[in-house]
């Protein structure tokens, strides 16, 4: 009979590990998996609404339901990539001042569980798209998953290609909503979305390079290969092209508006350029880390964005 206070022994005579901590870790696992899937970054998937909004296709209940489904499917695909990426980068993330708190790096999610969950989501997202949307949507989602997994394995270590792949991920989000609803995509829309994404991606790399200068190789191998001057050139070039493409699109599309009281689409160029200039302030300071953090935490940028949405909505409604 075990005396009160005596330690429990296993068959080998050594103290047995208490079961309570293991049970607590198991109960906390679902929440840790959700955090690994980056809920704060799900806002990026709102880009699936971009093309339908530009075409004025947000009034139909069917279109809204379809876009909600596409948003969920893209969130599943992106979460799969985050899970697999964190499993692969667990060791490197432990050397990063911020990424060391990620659940996989911190040991809250076992590496094997992260791999298995990510693989399941990577298969389910395109399969569900094929069953509930159209073949092109499933193809885009499959291409996104394959491209991002290739990025996790190899492409993140290839100079310039890493910027292109991350940018393409944003562009594919913007394309998927239009493809799911059968909306033709304007060339100016695609150029604006692509170079706008490159602007944010290269600004983030520039900020990381400044913050991790001298020890970038321990966290992201290419940070030592890029120079801050080169990354500055990329985000400045991308910002310029995005502004030019948006202006060309607004001027071209504005000519088709007949009943509007004011040229709302052309007026929307003002807040769009203002948003680019405001975001460039953070890029220049080296504080443009995660785009969603900048967008969600800067009030001035939020106000500029609200003005742009209002003007754009008036243009779509042709008021």
């Amino acid at each position: 009979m075990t005396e009160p206070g005596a330690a429990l022994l296993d068959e080998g005579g050594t103290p047995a590990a208490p079961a309570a901590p293991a049970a607590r870790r198991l109960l906390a696992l679902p929440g840790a998996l959700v955090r690994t899937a980056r809920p704060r970054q799900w806002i990026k998937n709102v880009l699936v609404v971009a093309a339908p909004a530009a075409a004025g296709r947000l009034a139909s209940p069917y279109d809204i339901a379809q876009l909600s489904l596409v948003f969920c499917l893209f969130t599943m695909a992106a979460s799969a990539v985050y899970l697999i990426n964190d499993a692969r980068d667990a060791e490197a993330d432990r050397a990063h001042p911020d990424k060391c708190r990620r659940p996989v790096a911190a040991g809250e999610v076992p590496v094997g569980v992260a791999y298995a969950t990510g693989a399941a989501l990577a298969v389910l997202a395109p399969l569900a798209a094929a069953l509930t949307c159209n073949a092109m949507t499933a193809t885009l989602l499959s291409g996104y998953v394959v491209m991002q997994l290739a990025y996790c394995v190899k492409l993140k270590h290839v100079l310039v290609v890493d910027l292109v792949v991350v940018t393409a991920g944003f562009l594919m989000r913007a394309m998927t909503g239009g493809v799911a609803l059968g909306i033709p995509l304007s060339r100016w829309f695609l150029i604006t979305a692509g170079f706008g994404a490159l602007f944010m991606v290269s600004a983030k790399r520039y900020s990381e390079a400044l913050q991790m200068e001298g020890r970038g190789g321990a966290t992201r191998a290419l940070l030592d290969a890029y120079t801050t001057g080169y990354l500055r050139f990329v985000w400045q070039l991308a910002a310029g092209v995005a502004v030019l493409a948006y202006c060309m699109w607004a001027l071209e599309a504005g000519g088709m508006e007949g009943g509007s009281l004011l040229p709302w689409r052309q007026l929307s160029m003002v807040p769009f350029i203002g948003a680019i200039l405001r975001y460039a302030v953070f890029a220049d300071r080296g504080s443009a880390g995660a785009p969603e953090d900048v967008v969600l935490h800067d009030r001035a940028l939020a106000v500029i964005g609200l003005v742009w949405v209002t003007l754009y909505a008036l243009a779509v409604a042709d008021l």
Side-chain angles (χ1 to χ4, degrees):
M1 181 174 180
T2 305
E3 296 181 4
L8 295 175
L9 301 180
D10 60 17
E11 293 179 358
T14 57
R24 283 197 295 268
R25 285 197 297 271
L26 186 60
L27 290 173
L29 183 58
L33 282 170
V34 171
R35 283 188 285 116
T36 306
R38 316 274 210 285
R40 286 173 54 182
Q41 297 202 29
W42 293 351
I43 190 174
K44 298 174 183 176
N45 300 326
V46 175
L47 280 172
V48 301
V49 178
R57 292 280 299 274
L58 296 182
S60 164
Y62 170 79
D63 290 345
I64 293 174
Q66 196 72 1
L67 288 174
S68 300
L69 175 62
V70 171
F71 174 86
C72 293
L73 293 176
F74 224 112
T75 298
M76 288 173 60
S79 298
V81 175
Y82 291 137
L83 284 158
I84 294 172
N85 177 75
D86 283 9
R88 285 186 56 84
D89 288 355
E91 289 299 325
D93 286 348
R94 292 186 184 108
H96 194 281
D98 296 322
K99 295 178 182 179
C100 63
R101 292 191 287 270
R102 289 178 174 175
V104 180
E108 298 175 43
V109 175
V111 171
V113 172
Y115 272 127
T117 308
L121 291 175
V123 172
L124 287 174
L127 180 60
L131 295 174
T132 59
C133 299
N134 53 40
M136 185 55 69
T137 303
T139 301
L140 270 175
L141 270 173
S142 299
Y144 174 85
V145 170
V146 171
M147 181 181 67
Q148 295 298 325
L149 291 179
Y151 173 83
C152 295
V153 175
K154 179 67 178 178
L155 299 183
K156 67 164 63 178
H157 305 299
V158 181
L159 203 65
V160 179
V161 173
D162 72 310
L163 296 176
V164 173
V165 171
V166 179
T167 299
F170 281 94
L171 184 57
M172 293 173 81
R173 286 175 171 90
M175 293 171 61
T176 303
V179 168
L181 297 183
I183 299 172
L185 299 174
S186 160
R187 63 185 185 278
W188 295 120
F189 170 81
L190 294 174
I191 294 171
T192 302
F195 279 91
L198 179 59
F199 167 52
M200 291 189 292
V201 170
S202 53
K204 180 183 178 181
R205 288 287 191 276
Y206 176 73
S207 298
E208 288 178 337
L210 288 180
Q211 293 169 10
M212 305 301 295
E213 201 163 15
R215 57 194 182 102
T219 56
R220 190 187 294 276
L222 285 187
L223 283 182
D224 283 341
Y226 285 118
T227 65
T228 54
Y230 174 78
L231 291 172
R232 174 185 284 272
F233 161 75
V234 174
W235 70 253
Q236 289 176 341
L237 172 67
V241 175
V243 166
L244 178 61
Y246 185 87
C247 291
M248 293 296 293
W249 175 73
L251 292 171
E252 180 183 80
M256 297 183 289
E257 295 170 6
S260 298
L261 295 174
L262 289 172
W264 302 118
R265 203 177 299 264
Q266 289 94 324
L267 289 174
S268 73
M269 294 187 295
V270 177
F272 182 87
I273 295 171
I276 293 290
L277 293 175
R278 179 71 181 179
Y279 200 97
V281 171
F282 297 97
D284 190 60
R285 291 174 181 169
S287 57
E292 63 276 8
D293 288 341
V294 178
V295 172
L296 293 176
H297 292 99
D298 183 62
R299 289 186 178 180
L301 193 56
V303 171
I304 293 170
L306 182 60
V307 172
W308 177 82
V309 168
T310 301
L311 292 175
Y312 196 85
L314 290 169
V316 171
D318 202 20
L319 297 176

